[in-house]
Amino acid sequence: MAELVYRPVVGLAQTLFKVWDLKIDCQGSENIPRQGGAVLVSNHISYLDFIFDGLAALPQKRLVRFMAKESVFRHKISGPLMRNMRHIPVDRKQGEAAYTHALDSLRSGEIIGVFPEATISQSFTLKSFKSGAARLAQEAGVPLIPMAVWGTQRLWTKGHPRNFKRSHIPVTIRVGEAIEASKDKYAGAITRQLRERVQELLEAAQRAYPVRPKGPDDTWWMPAHLGGTAPTPEQVREAEAR
């Protein structure tokens, strides 16, 4: 039943991307294993990141089960779709059930998608990573697959209106080589290595991105350290603390 829902949803998304005339540049899909479990780890800058992360696995004929906040599963439209595609609901107050669910899925040969920053980065820079992805990979005996997306924030992100017009927005995706989650290493050390690799992939995606802001009113989607007007990580933390 899951694939009877998942594949048509993927087809619909691909059709919409053509209608919106998105320019998708994806490299590194060959690093996603064709068989067996793996933890796919990505930065998080948009509400649509999971869709593009999932697209990166399609050339390897894999479908990714993403861990997502439980409220998405309660929505009258997204809820049934998420459940039938076998994504994993995460209750942040009681995360044990989601962890066990993800672990069982990995052991059965599934690819699990994780956003270790937990929430969208409004600065469009990497936040600190939680260690859950590394611990899952260690316990299940599967690799970590780092990846980064860039440009998705221009479509739909926190604090900005959606842009689903035919506006030719590029989306750049980079998938890195697998990282072994050795059981004789601390999860924290693996998490630091993972974050460094995602940072490298993010910078590569940013360098490859084919457009720059059109003018002063179009700099909101660029991080401050690259000359944009997105809030700095410090400004985001200050706003969240108020």
Side-chain angles (χ1 to χ4, degrees), residues 26-89:
C26 180
Q27 295 183 16
S29 289
E30 67 276 6
N31 291 314
I32 297 172
R34 281 189 173 271
Q35 295 180 338
V39 181
L40 192 67
V41 178
S42 174
N43 65 318
H44 199 12
I45 54 175
S46 165
Y47 293 115
L48 303 177
D49 289 336
F50 75 99
I51 298 176
F52 291 95
D53 289 348
L55 285 178
L58 293 182
Q60 297 296 85
K61 303 186 185 303
R62 301 303 301 271
L63 299 177
V64 183
R65 319 297 175 180
F66 285 93
M67 301 184 76
K69 60 183 180 180
E70 194 267 341
S71 60
V72 177
F73 291 77
R74 295 198 304 266
H75 190 276
K76 63 181 181 180
I77 296 175
S78 64
L81 292 174
M82 295 291 282
R83 286 190 293 273
N84 284 316
M85 288 188 287
R86 297 214 317 261
H87 296 309
I88 301 172

Side-chain angles (χ1 to χ4, degrees), residues 89 100 114-115 119 123 125-127 160-161 170 184 220 222 224 226 236 238:
T100 300
V114 176
F115 297 106
T119 58
S123 66
T125 61
L126 281 190
K127 302 169 67 174
H160 294 274
D184 61 2
W220 65 269
M222 287 286 281
L226 292 180
V236 173
E238 289 174 3

Side-chain angles (χ1 to χ4, degrees), residues 196-213:
E196 289 172 1
R197 187 61 182 126
V198 173
Q199 178 65 42
E200 292 171 356
L201 292 166
L202 176 58
E203 291 174 3
Q206 290 169 337
R207 288 193 299 271
Y209 201 66
V211 301
R212 292 293 181 267

Side-chain angles (χ1 to χ4, degrees), residues 45-223:
I45 54 175
S46 165
Y47 293 115
L48 303 177
D49 289 336
F50 75 99
I51 298 176
F52 291 95
D53 289 348
L55 285 178
L58 293 182
Q60 297 296 85
K61 303 186 185 303
R62 301 303 301 271
L63 299 177
V64 183
R65 319 297 175 180
F66 285 93
M67 301 184 76
K69 60 183 180 180
E70 194 267 341
S71 60
V72 177
F73 291 77
R74 295 198 304 266
H75 190 276
K76 63 181 181 180
I77 296 175
S78 64
L81 292 174
M82 295 291 282
R83 286 190 293 273
N84 284 316
M85 288 188 287
R86 297 214 317 261
H87 296 309
I88 301 172
V90 178
D91 183 340
R92 290 175 183 167
K93 294 181 180 178
Q94 297 179 326
E96 297 86 356
Y99 185 92
T100 300
H101 186 169
L103 188 59
D104 290 342
S105 295
L106 288 168
R107 286 172 171 164
S108 69
E110 297 276 14
I111 293 182
I112 299 300
V114 176
F115 297 106
E117 297 168 278
T119 58
I120 288 174
S121 171
Q122 293 179 268
S123 66
F124 309 133
T125 61
L126 281 190
K127 302 169 67 174
S128 61
F129 276 22
K130 298 185 181 300
S131 64
R135 291 188 289 111
L136 276 171
Q138 282 182 304
E139 196 166 347
V142 301
L144 291 153
I145 310 297
M147 68 179 301
V149 293
W150 188 247
T152 56
Q153 75 274 31
R154 299 178 65 197
L155 294 168
W156 190 16
T157 193
K158 190 173 183 179
H160 294 274
R162 290 171 291 187
N163 179 12
F164 294 162
K165 300 175 182 177
R166 187 176 171 84
S167 49
H168 321 291
I169 291 176
V171 172
T172 303
I173 306 167
R174 293 292 182 267
V175 185
E177 295 181 357
I179 295 174
E180 181 183 357
S182 175
K183 292 183 179 180
D184 61 2
K185 289 185 179 180
Y186 288 112
I190 297 173
T191 300
R192 287 191 292 274
Q193 179 188 4
L194 179 64
R195 187 183 183 281
E196 289 172 1
R197 187 61 182 126
V198 173
Q199 178 65 42
E200 292 171 356
L201 292 166
L202 176 58
E203 291 174 3
Q206 290 169 337
R207 288 193 299 271
Y209 201 66
V211 301
R212 292 293 181 267
K214 298 176 182 177
D217 296 332
D218 188 41
T219 58
W220 65 269
W221 56 272
M222 287 286 281

